[in-house]
Amino acid sequence: MNEIVRTAQSSVAHASLDPQDWSAFRALAHRMLDETIDGIANVRTRPVWQPIPDGVRAVFKADVPREASDLAEVYREFAEHVAPYATGNLHPGFMGWVHGGGTAVGMLAEMLAAGLNANLGGRDHMPIEVERQIVDWMRRLFAFPDSASGIFVTGTSMANLMAVLVARTAALGTLARQHGLGNDGALLTAYTSHAAHGCVSRAMDIAGLGTDALRKIGVDADHRIDVAALRAQIAVDREVGFKPFLVVASAGTVDIGAVDDLKAIAELCREEGIWFHVDGAFGALAIFSPELAPKLGGIELADSIALDFHKWGQVPYDAGFLLVRDGEQHRQAFAQPAAYLRREARGLAAGAVWPCDLGPDLSRGFRALKTWFTLKTFGTDRLGATITRSCALAKYLEARVLAEPRLESLAPVNLNIVCFRYRADDAINREIVADIQESGIAAPSSTTLNGKFAIRAAIVNHRTEEADIDALVAAVLDLGRRRCGDGVIEVEAPPLAAQ
């Protein structure tokens, strides 16, 4: 019998995935941390982005790893084949998409969250209280009532989808969750602008309402939704028997960063009895900046707001967020009673509303911790100052463009996004963008405005300075001149120390 017990104990000991040598593990862990911190501290010595060599891609065609490998060897593979070929949004020259630069503070918080390995789907533990504190902070910042609810999600695409589902349930009643959309659901119509993010259409698709039920309204000269046209379309839809139920306004459009007239839309939605949602993926956090917050006037009247802390909030990916004015309506859209999720009066299963009652996920990571660390460490004043600074840099870039005869501005600069082009055809401008990205000097993106291909620079990274803007402009001018004068060229990045 004793032999059987010893064998069982031995088997259990070997079953653990903990390190057998904690000292060696600790030493390697410290090395990983030190080298990661070095990478962030010395980010300017690297290219913004670089193409992945074929040989590196080939490494990731290997078969399923059946046998164990030494952790140091796995880390070596990461350091050589993964880290050098990341997106590049840590770099101050990354200006392509609205990606935050992250912080070393957020990285450490992510490590601590992984160490806790907490599931924030529910139950009574402090990680959920951390998330609830951030919900409360957002209530205060956006002047929402104490009854408002909030939840962390992957990003604003998910938050916008959830807002559509909450608005749909509010329009059709909770029985629609059992019986389906029915005839009434087929008549629901939603509204947004032509400049809105494509995830709004996708949300209508996933919600079962169909993209045809989303009316895309034209924009004015400032790329804001035409409120008069919106009002007229709602009237037409009501006249023919449709049921308008949702307007999605933008606080920072995807192409140029325009902010819709939120006060006027709020008033219209109140008159019409329509859910008013704001897609504030990055722009909503302008609430941190006393200089920029007035641009969001009316956002406090929204029924729901979607935003990303991982953009202007500089929290490491991912950290999206949904705030809903009526917490009970939010709960009714997602809560699903189940015996294994029973709430008790005391013990670990205590508590009233759990996060799983407010969204589709039962398994949820501790996204709130890196956001909590970021907000606590830097404070909204300092974060607001970095947001204000990014908009000032966008104005600086706009001035550089307007002062250069070979460059053309394609849209007004509302917040932090500048759309311009070299005075040449679309094909040349498209090559200029790819050339700059491959050079490692900067990483702009592109879009199309009024039928013209645009070089799009989104200034989001807190590390970006005037010198990085100057480097982008110099690269566009140099590459444009060479493309127009000499045909196809190969571009070499300047010495990294000069970047």
Side-chain angles (χ1 to χ4, degrees):
M1 178 62 73
N2 289 338
E3 182 62 29
I4 294 174
V5 171
R6 283 195 295 271
T7 301
Q9 289 174 338
S10 175
S11 175
V12 169
H14 285 92
S16 171
L17 299 179
D18 284 336
Q20 293 188 347
D21 184 342
W22 281 103
S23 295
F25 177 83
R26 187 187 306 275
L28 179 58
H30 279 281
R31 177 185 154 204
M32 290 179 179
L33 180 59
D34 285 341
E35 292 181 358
T36 302
I37 292 172
D38 286 344
I40 298 174
N42 302 313
V43 66
R44 285 183 175 275
T45 65
R46 304 197 307 269
V48 180
W49 174 84
Q50 54 185 333
I52 306 170
D54 291 341
V56 172
R57 289 189 193 275
V59 170
F60 291 85
K61 302 297 183 183
D63 200 0
V64 178
R66 304 283 181 185
E67 300 296 327
S69 297
D70 185 73
L71 177 59
E73 175 59 23
V74 177
Y75 174 60
R76 182 201 61 77
E77 188 169 339
F78 164 83
E80 293 181 5
H81 297 148
V82 178
Y85 306 102
T87 312
N89 51 301
L90 269 69
H91 198 288
F94 186 94
M95 306 174 199
W97 296 264
V98 184
H99 292 4
T103 67
V105 167
M107 178 197 71
L108 292 176
E110 189 82 308
M111 179 184 70
L112 295 176
L116 288 179
N117 194 30
N119 179 0
L120 271 72
R123 288 158 285 276
D124 187 21
H125 52 114
M126 276 307 298
I128 286 183
E129 293 302 321
V130 172
E131 181 162 343
R132 286 171 178 158
Q133 182 172 48
I134 296 174
V135 172
D136 184 56
W137 290 344
M138 293 304 106
R139 286 190 195 108
R140 299 182 192 188
L141 284 168
F142 291 103
F144 269 40
D146 291 343
S147 57
S149 56
I151 187 169
F152 275 87
V153 293
T154 53
T156 293
S157 293
M158 175 58 76
N160 284 337
L161 168 60
M162 290 167 61
V164 169
L165 295 173
V166 176
R168 185 192 70 179
T169 303
L172 298 178
T174 56
L175 286 179
R177 296 183 59 196
Q178 296 173 257
H179 304 311
L181 300 180
N183 293 331
D184 285 343
L187 298 175
L188 293 180
T189 53
Y191 307 82
T192 195
S193 81
H194 281 295
H197 197 283
C199 70
V200 180
S201 291
R202 180 183 288 187
M204 293 291 288
D205 169 15
I206 297 173
L209 300 166
T211 57
D212 285 351
L214 180 65
R215 312 296 197 238
K216 295 185 178 180
I217 309 299
V219 296
D220 61 18
D222 293 321
H223 293 247
R224 305 188 307 172
I225 192 170
D226 185 332
V227 179
L230 171 62
R231 184 183 296 273
Q233 184 63 56
I234 290 172
V236 167
D237 285 338
R238 287 201 190 281
E239 181 67 24
V240 298
F242 286 111
K243 296 183 177 182
F245 82 109
L246 170 68
V247 172
V248 179
S250 297
T253 56
V254 62
D255 280 330
I256 73 162
V259 180
D260 289 333
D261 187 340
L262 303 180
K263 286 183 179 177
I265 298 170
E267 181 180 347
L268 173 58
C269 288
R270 189 185 305 111
E271 293 172 3
E272 296 285 346
I274 296 174
W275 190 278
F276 173 34
H277 174 67
V278 176
D279 175 359
F282 72 95
L285 288 186
I287 201 75
F288 290 170
S289 165
E291 294 88 346
L292 299 174
K295 291 179 177 287
L296 301 176
I299 197 169
E300 72 281 357
L301 304 173
D303 292 301
S304 52
I305 303 170
L307 59 89
D308 287 329
F309 289 108
H310 56 237
K311 292 187 169 77
W312 255 349
Q314 308 299 334
V315 173
Y317 276 84
D318 53 38
F321 191 78
L322 175 65
L323 185 67
V324 179
R325 174 175 298 277
D326 187 330
E328 180 57 23
Q329 286 187 312
H330 187 180
R331 191 193 68 80
Q332 288 180 3
F334 293 104
Q336 186 73 51
Y340 52 87
L341 297 176
R342 177 183 171 88
R343 316 301 153 82
E344 303 293 349
R346 61 192 186 90
L348 185 54
V353 177
W354 289 0
C356 65
D357 298 326
L358 303 175
D361 297 322
L362 181 56
S363 297
R364 303 177 65 248
F366 196 2
R367 295 184 181 97
L369 187 63
K370 55 192 172 184
T371 307
W372 186 81
F373 259 82
T374 300
L375 293 173
K376 293 273 287 185
T377 301
F378 300 110
T380 58
D381 288 350
R382 186 173 176 188
L383 291 170
T386 66
I387 291 170
T388 303
R389 169 74 170 155
S390 68
C391 293
L393 288 171
K395 284 294 185 182
Y396 175 74
L397 174 54
E398 181 185 39
R400 290 291 318 270
V401 169
L402 294 174
E404 175 51 62
R406 289 175 291 172
L407 301 180
E408 176 186 6
S409 175
L410 294 183
V413 175
N414 294 279
L415 292 172
N416 64 324
I417 299 176
V418 184
C419 292
F420 67 104
R421 63 191 262 136
Y422 193 85
R423 290 190 185 274
D425 61 30
D426 285 359
I428 287 178
N429 277 279
R430 187 172 286 108
E431 293 298 326
I432 288 172
V433 170
D435 286 342
I436 294 175
Q437 291 172 349
E438 292 177 351
S439 76
I441 297 170
S445 63
S446 63
T447 189
T448 300
L449 295 173
N450 300 319
K452 290 184 175 182
F453 181 90
I455 301 171
R456 176 178 175 272
I459 318 300
V460 185
N461 194 316
H462 58 94
R463 303 179 182 96
T464 304
E465 300 174 355
E466 284 89 348
D468 303 297
I469 304 296
D470 292 338
L472 171 65
V473 172
V476 171
L477 290 173
D478 182 50
L479 291 163
R481 176 184 58 79
R482 295 203 230 174
R483 282 278 175 192
C484 288
D486 303 324
V488 176
I489 60 167
E490 290 188 7
V491 182
E492 292 184 1
L496 289 172
Q499 291 186 34

